[in-house]
Amino acid sequence: VLQIPEATLKLQWTPFVRKRFVLERFTISDTEVIVKELEDGNWQIGGITLAGEKEPAEPSAWDFGLQQVTIQNSVIKLVSSQLTSEVKIEQAQVSKMTSWMPESSARLEFTGQLNGANLGLQMDVSPFGSEIAASGRIGLQGLPLDPFVPLLQPHLKTLEGRLDIDVNIDTRLNADGGLNHHQKGSVKLHQIRTRMADMNLAKESLVWNGAIRVNIGESSKALKIITDGQLNGSGLKLEIENENLAVQQKNFSWKGKIDFKQDKTRQDLKADGQIGLADLKIESPQFSLTEEKLTWQGPVQVSSTAGTEGQGIIADGMLSGDHLQVDLPGRKLKVEHRGLLWKGRLD
């Protein structure tokens, strides 16, 4: 289905002599488009079926430019075998996109909703240069996660919750296939409920605020992830049915830096910061454990290689606990300890 009650089009004719198609202004309003995946795997857009795979076409001798394209009060519906989504466009605008100036940036602005969640974008994009680049701000509030379950199966059987995003990003895809991504801001998950295999996981909230940098080398031969910020969580409940094990934890916090590197032969993880757990409780038929507060502060390094000789853990810092209780009913043994404090190095 394609409905376009109103459209305005204005072209620049002079650039035609240089084989340049320039769309000076294009505006559509009150439009509805349905994008549908057909049973044979082809796609249909607005009732028009797209042809299947073809041989790569020869590069066009024509360049094109978009001075201003505006969409207002419109809806795009996506229907596929794995995902059904709806994008409501209050206003979207692309401006100053020119294929014959590959290093220049086009401006993309969007205000609307994705599956009922408020979505805002302000991006500068360079799709024609030696590297594809995008930078700007993404704001998303209250996105329901359950429509995306089919995309995550069979790893996740169910998923509920909401997602908020407020980040500034800078992403670049190099000609050799390498990817550089940097983001700074907050990502929040609320009221998470999910099932994985025999595990049920629930989390009231999980909030990240800080910077993340991801570098993927040529042909995915190397991966590097650096984070610097704070992660807070609350209300964890985990049940592992086959083990008859239940874990509850009220509050979790991490503040610091993490540096992860991986290549074909080695993995290295370095973390330096402070992690805290409050009101931890673990129960099973074999034992039960409770800890009112547990804190680690200091650097930790974990390394591994293809061979066992390259594996190791180094920790240098301070571990403190408040009130630990352990019950082993099978052995009729109970252990209780208050005021744990350890400082040193493990290698």
Side-chain angles (χ1 to χ4, degrees), residues 310-329:
Q311 298 179 357
I313 299 177
I314 300 174
D316 188 358
M318 182 173 64
L319 177 67
S320 61
D322 192 15
H323 184 193
L324 173 66
Q325 297 181 79
V326 180
D327 187 5
L328 302 172

Side-chain angles (χ1 to χ4, degrees), residues 251 253 274-280 290-296 319-324 339-340:
N251 293 312
S253 66
Q274 178 173 306
I275 185 171
L277 300 173
D279 295 329
L280 175 64
T290 62
E291 173 61 72
E292 291 183 3
K293 186 177 181 181
L294 190 66
T295 304
W296 165 265
L319 177 67
S320 61
D322 192 15
H323 184 193
L324 173 66
L340 170 67

Side-chain angles (χ1 to χ4, degrees), residues 31-196:
T31 300
E32 180 176 317
V33 179
I34 296 180
V35 181
K36 186 177 181 180
E37 182 185 19
L38 304 178
E39 292 183 359
D40 59 6
N42 290 328
W43 287 87
Q44 191 178 77
I45 301 178
I48 302 173
T49 301
L50 304 181
E53 294 185 2
K54 296 181 178 180
E55 294 294 326
E58 293 293 328
S60 174
W62 283 71
D63 287 314
F64 74 93
L66 305 176
Q67 292 302 305
Q68 183 175 303
V69 175
T70 304
I71 303 174
Q72 298 173 329
N73 302 323
S74 299
V75 176
I76 299 175
K77 296 181 180 180
L78 172 66
V79 181
S80 73
S81 59
Q82 291 189 307
L83 181 64
T84 299
S85 291
E86 181 178 86
V87 178
K88 291 184 178 180
I89 304 171
E90 295 178 7
Q91 178 158 311
Q93 188 172 93
V94 179
S95 57
K96 298 182 180 179
M97 179 180 290
T98 50
S99 65
W100 64 89
M101 300 176 63
E103 302 305 324
S104 65
S105 296
R107 182 68 172 175
L108 169 63
E109 297 179 313
F110 177 96
T111 302
Q113 294 85 37
L114 171 60
N115 293 343
N118 291 331
L119 175 62
L121 300 173
Q122 299 87 38
M123 305 289 292
D124 293 315
V125 296
S126 301
F128 305 113
S130 56
E131 61 178 16
I132 299 174
S135 62
R137 179 183 174 273
I138 302 174
L140 179 66
Q141 186 174 11
L143 178 67
L145 299 179
D146 51 289
F148 302 96
V149 173
L151 299 176
L152 303 173
Q153 292 176 342
H155 306 289
L156 296 183
K157 294 182 178 180
T158 63
L159 177 63
E160 299 176 7
R162 303 188 321 276
L163 172 66
D164 297 342
I165 298 175
D166 186 4
V167 296
N168 291 296
I169 70 164
D170 187 346
T171 304
R172 300 179 183 274
L173 180 63
N174 303 324
D176 60 5
L179 174 69
N180 297 311
H181 172 77
H182 178 256
Q183 72 177 56
K184 187 174 183 179
S186 65
V187 178
K188 303 177 182 179
L189 292 168
H190 305 279
Q191 303 298 323
I192 300 300
R193 303 285 188 275
T194 185
R195 180 174 175 82
M196 301 170 284

Side-chain angles (χ1 to χ4, degrees), residues 235-305:
L236 170 67
K237 292 183 179 180
L238 174 64
E239 296 179 354
I240 304 177
E241 295 176 352
N242 289 346
E243 302 293 334
N244 201 8
L245 180 69
V247 179
Q248 296 185 40
Q249 180 258 317
K250 186 176 180 180
N251 293 312
F252 163 86
S253 66
W254 157 262
K255 186 176 182 180
K257 298 180 179 180
I258 296 176
D259 188 339
F260 174 77
K261 298 178 182 178
Q262 174 183 290
D263 56 30
K264 287 185 175 181
T265 62
R266 186 177 181 87
Q267 292 182 345
D268 291 298
L269 174 66
K270 296 179 181 179
D272 191 358
Q274 178 173 306
I275 185 171
L277 300 173
D279 295 329
L280 175 64
K281 186 177 183 179
I282 303 175
E283 290 186 322
S284 76
Q286 291 77 31
F287 77 98
S288 66
L289 180 149
T290 62
E291 173 61 72
E292 291 183 3
K293 186 177 181 181
L294 190 66
T295 304
W296 165 265
Q297 184 172 0
V300 176
Q301 181 175 340
V302 181
S303 302
S304 65
T305 62

